[in-house]
């Protein structure tokens, strides 16, 4: 199963990805997680990405394309993967199609979690509160200023990715405002239809 999970920050992509990893035995490939790991390790890639990420802007397409290209080839991705946070631009989506085709692969499904824009800020604020309560570290870009930029980047650069997949006839939309379990059921139903 090869799946793209689309949706703005706070839509619940991470939560639903974790459930799919458990259920389907596939891996979650989050470009955000990979970039944060590079930042934490202080690699040249991390140094290039850090300021961009902290501001809430998107890193250059080629940077994340190279990460995904290499990661898809890893042994643990052989059974399938969920792309979380990638592709985020139409150029990334088009390049993904090309690089999957080169590997003899294609996507089984593209699922978009649709959430009210007005709800997103409070969802992320909630995530920050919960993280702090659990004694965890809050992401550098989970602050009001960066979040505004991240939501604008989503609207301008990532929303067209949904259109890209809709035009190809592969986009499935799920009501991301529903309860977490109900969202999981809706995704399961979609995947049962394409598996
Ligand atoms: P995320 O964890 O998916 O919210 O990503 C955190 C940050 O990493 C984003 O705000 C971007 O700066 C960067 N990032 C993650 N994935 C991508 C991507 N596919 N394209 C460009 N930038 C990305």
């Amino acid at each position: 199963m090869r799946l793209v999970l689309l949706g703005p920050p706070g839509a619940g992509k991470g939560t639903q990805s974790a459930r799919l990893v458990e259920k389907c035995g596939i891996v979650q490939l989050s470009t955000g997680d990979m970039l944060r790991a590079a930042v934490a390790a202080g690699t040249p890639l991390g140094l290039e990405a850090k300021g961009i990420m902290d501001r809430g802007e998107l890193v250059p397409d080629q940077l994340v394309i190279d990460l995904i290209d290499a990661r898809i080839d890893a042994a643990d991705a052989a059974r399938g993967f969920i792309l979380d946070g990638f592709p985020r631009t139409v150029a990334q989506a088009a390049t993904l199609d090309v690089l999957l085709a080169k590997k003899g692969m294609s996507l089984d499904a593209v699922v978009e979690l649709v959430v009210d824009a007005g709800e997103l800020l409070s969802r992320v604020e909630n995530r920050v509160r919960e993280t702090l309560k659990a004694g965890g570290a809050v992401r550098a870009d989970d602050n009001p200023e960066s979040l505004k930029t991240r939501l604008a980047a989503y609207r301008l650069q990532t929303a067209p990715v949904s259109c890209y997949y809709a035009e190809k006839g592969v986009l499935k939309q799920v009501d991301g405002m529903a309860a977490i379990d109900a969202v999981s059921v809706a995704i399961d139903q979609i995947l049962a239809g394409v598996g």
Side-chain angles (χ1 to χ4, degrees), residues 89-100:
T89 64
V90 170
Q92 289 178 21
T95 308
L96 175 64
D97 283 340
V98 173
L99 74 84
L100 286 178

Side-chain angles (χ1 to χ4, degrees), residues 8-162:
K13 297 189 299 297
T15 305
Q16 296 300 332
S17 292
R19 289 181 167 208
L20 289 168
V21 164
E22 188 108 321
K23 267 186 287 205
C24 308
I26 55 181
V27 288
Q28 174 198 12
L29 304 184
S30 155
T31 40
D33 285 349
M34 293 178 206
L35 290 166
R36 279 185 288 278
V39 170
T43 65
L45 166 70
L47 293 176
E48 184 182 345
K50 185 178 182 339
I52 302 172
M53 292 173 72
D54 286 353
R55 287 193 299 277
E57 296 164 9
L58 296 186
V59 305
D61 286 337
Q62 197 57 47
L63 219 140
V64 279
I65 287 164
D66 289 345
L67 281 177
I68 286 291
D69 191 4
R71 190 62 186 80
I72 283 173
D73 291 332
D76 65 349
R79 291 194 54 196
F81 48 77
I82 307 158
L83 297 177
D84 165 4
F86 179 92
R88 247 179 167 98
T89 64
V90 170
Q92 289 178 21
T95 308
L96 175 64
D97 283 340
V98 173
L99 74 84
L100 286 178
K102 273 191 195 149
K103 296 175 197 288
M105 299 175 183
S106 61
L107 294 172
D108 296 300
V110 178
V111 177
E112 180 183 15
L113 302 180
V114 181
V115 186
D116 279 359
E119 172 82 357
L120 294 172
L121 191 60
S122 63
R123 280 191 173 201
V124 176
E125 282 168 354
N126 208 29
R127 177 165 81 193
V128 170
R129 260 195 309 276
E130 296 290 317
T131 306
L132 288 173
K133 214 162 70 187
V138 173
R139 281 169 48 164
D141 58 355
D142 268 350
N143 63 75
E145 203 47 44
S146 300
L147 187 61
K148 234 172 69 188
T149 309
R150 284 160 62 201
L151 293 174
Y154 188 83
R155 232 182 9 256
L156 290 171
Q157 292 164 279
T158 309
V161 175
S162 305

